[in-house]
Amino acid sequence: MPCGNLSAKNAPRMGCQARKFTFSTSGVTDVDEVEVSTVVYVPPEEVYEFLLDFPGYARYSEYLDRVMQDGDGTPGTNYDLVFSWWKLSYTARSEVTDVSPPTRIDWRIVKDIDADGYWAVEPDPDGVPADVETASRVRFHVAFDPGSASDSAIDLPRLVSMDWVIEKVKPLIRKEATKIVERVVEDLEGQERDVDLKIHTGPDSV
């Protein structure tokens, strides 16, 4: 499946390999992508409403200390995300760029790094067990350009480079995306179960 540029409108709705972001100042750059998907046994409308309340499930992340929201979850809503890891602390700002109830929520990071992503929800009649009435497939997708990270974004200790930090953080992104999707399923269904996750990454560095 072909991959698009950094655009919420053109972001792929399915998993794909490393796409290209095109920037007017720096040409074409490889990006890293992670997508985690699974089936949850509730209708798409219920999944969508749950995902729209971002601060409610952001607590699932081990490294996210708090979320500050400005807006009601519709396009234009901003979230300040305060992360801490190792000796570092960083506040990222994300913006909801588009919503298509009850199937999709698009967002992007608005400072320090070129990154975007989305939640996608769709009915999944093939994933319904005999004792379940309905099922939905949920996809969490994030794409980011490691080379675009601002060296001034974080106050780094002596002898620690931004490149070193990025290489350490990239595998954590996959781990955290997996954990978030697992916890979303548990909260929506009201009980813990073994979750069959499909994980797509690109390139192989993630």
Side-chain angles (χ1 to χ4, degrees):
M1 175 176 291
C3 301
N5 293 333
L6 180 59
S7 167
K9 291 289 188 180
N10 297 327
R13 296 176 183 266
M14 303 293 288
C16 59
Q17 295 302 310
R19 60 180 174 178
K20 302 287 185 178
F21 285 173
T22 303
F23 304 101
S24 59
T25 56
S26 58
V28 179
T29 309
D30 284 325
V31 301
D32 290 326
E33 293 186 284
V34 177
E35 180 174 290
V36 181
S37 68
T38 194
V39 173
V40 58
Y41 303 145
V42 295
E45 294 79 8
E46 186 175 339
V47 179
Y48 177 84
E49 289 300 322
F50 180 90
L51 296 176
L52 203 59
D53 178 26
F54 174 68
Y57 60 85
R59 67 184 186 279
Y60 299 156
S61 173
E62 177 181 351
Y63 307 103
L64 182 58
D65 295 332
R66 64 185 183 274
V67 178
M68 293 164 284
Q69 179 176 342
D70 180 15
D72 60 1
T74 57
T77 297
N78 288 309
Y79 298 98
D80 284 347
L81 316 172
V82 183
F83 293 93
S84 60
W85 168 77
W86 188 52
K87 301 177 181 180
L88 306 178
S89 179
Y90 173 67
T91 300
R93 171 162 288 187
S94 68
E95 178 188 25
V96 178
T97 56
D98 194 22
V99 295
S100 299
T103 60
R104 188 162 164 128
I105 302 169
D106 290 272
W107 56 269
R108 68 184 180 99
I109 299 297
V110 300
K111 69 181 184 76
D112 298 330
I113 189 170
D114 294 311
D116 70 352
Y118 59 83
W119 285 99
V121 186
E122 58 190 13
D124 190 354
D126 295 335
V128 181
D131 58 342
V132 173
E133 294 183 0
T134 186
S136 305
R137 178 159 292 277
V138 182
R139 303 179 188 277
F140 177 63
H141 185 99
V142 58
F144 59 98
D145 173 13
S148 70
S150 171
D151 291 335
S152 62
I154 303 175
D155 185 15
L156 298 174
R158 286 188 62 212
L159 305 180
V160 174
S161 69
M162 180 62 77
D163 288 343
W164 181 88
V165 171
I166 289 172
E167 289 306 309
K168 294 295 184 181
V169 168
K170 283 198 292 186
L172 297 180
I173 293 174
R174 172 173 173 165
K175 174 186 173 183
E176 290 298 286
T178 301
K179 180 192 299 182
I180 288 172
V181 172
E182 288 177 333
R183 291 289 303 277
V184 163
V185 172
E186 181 179 341
D187 273 10
L188 279 167
E189 296 181 355
Q191 60 184 357
E192 186 177 357
R193 66 174 173 87
D194 291 333
V195 179
D196 182 18
L197 297 173
K198 293 184 178 180
I199 303 173
H200 313 277
T201 62
D204 293 336
S205 60
V206 180

